[in-house]
């Protein structure tokens, strides 16, 4: 299937997301903050990113800005995950965000379905 970079600083949530992604046959790479995500991306290509918005140091929105400034990552599909999205969130599609997951309401089926839809859209 696909290789997905999971950027999540909450270990328990990250474990849940990783299990759900692996259940669909995806390879999951993990990073706990924006710098670690960039390090992973420098080492291995990925097909999509699942990105927590509230990260230590640089947040998910700052990481989106950085990703979009690099030609290698500019078209990489991103799914944002957050329990509370900032009110001043910029238009998401311009940053390659193809899905948003509400952590407070997500379950295995809805999470996996969102990822499938994003990957299918990216393949078109």
């Amino acid at each position: 299937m696909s290789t997905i970079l999971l950027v999540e600083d909450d270990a328990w949530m990250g474990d849940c997301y990783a299990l759900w992604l692996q259940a669909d046959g995806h390879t999951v790479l993990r990073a706990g903050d924006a710098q670690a995500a960039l390090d992973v991306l420098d080492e291995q290509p990925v097909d999509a990113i699942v990105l927590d918005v509230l990260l230590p140091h640089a947040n998910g929105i700052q990481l989106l800005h950085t990703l979009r400034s690099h030609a290698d990552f500019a078209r990489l599909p991103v799914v944002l995950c957050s329990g509370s999205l900032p009110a001043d969130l910029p238009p998401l599609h311009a940053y390659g965000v193809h899905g948003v997951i509400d952590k407070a309401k997500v379950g295995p089926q809805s999470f996996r379905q969102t990822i499938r839809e994003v990957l299918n859209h990216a393949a078109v």
Side-chain angles (χ1 to χ4, degrees):
M1 299 279 311
S2 300
T3 299
I4 298 175
L5 174 57
L6 173 60
V7 186
E8 172 62 65
D9 62 317
D10 181 305
W12 183 83
M13 289 297 296
D15 289 346
C16 289
Y17 295 160
L19 286 172
W20 298 344
L21 291 166
Q22 291 164 345
D24 271 357
H26 302 295
T27 299
V28 179
L29 305 175
R30 305 230 349 222
D33 61 38
Q35 185 57 55
L38 292 171
D39 292 344
V40 169
L41 290 169
D42 282 341
E43 296 293 321
Q44 184 165 345
V46 301
D47 299 298
I49 298 175
V50 176
L51 176 61
D52 184 18
V53 173
L54 299 176
L55 295 169
H57 315 295
N59 67 36
I61 303 304
Q62 291 166 317
L63 178 56
L64 281 173
H65 282 284
T66 301
L67 291 173
R68 296 309 165 221
S69 70
H70 294 277
D72 292 348
F73 309 130
R75 299 182 59 94
L76 194 59
V78 175
V79 175
L80 284 183
C81 293
S82 182
S84 60
L85 292 172
D88 61 345
L89 193 64
L92 300 174
H93 194 60
Y95 291 94
V97 176
H98 290 89
V100 177
I101 293 174
D102 183 343
K103 286 182 169 186
K105 298 177 184 174
V106 71
Q109 286 74 25
S110 63
F111 182 89
R112 292 165 66 192
Q113 182 61 34
T114 298
I115 301 304
R116 284 185 208 118
E117 289 170 3
V118 167
L119 290 171
N120 287 338
H121 180 264
V124 173

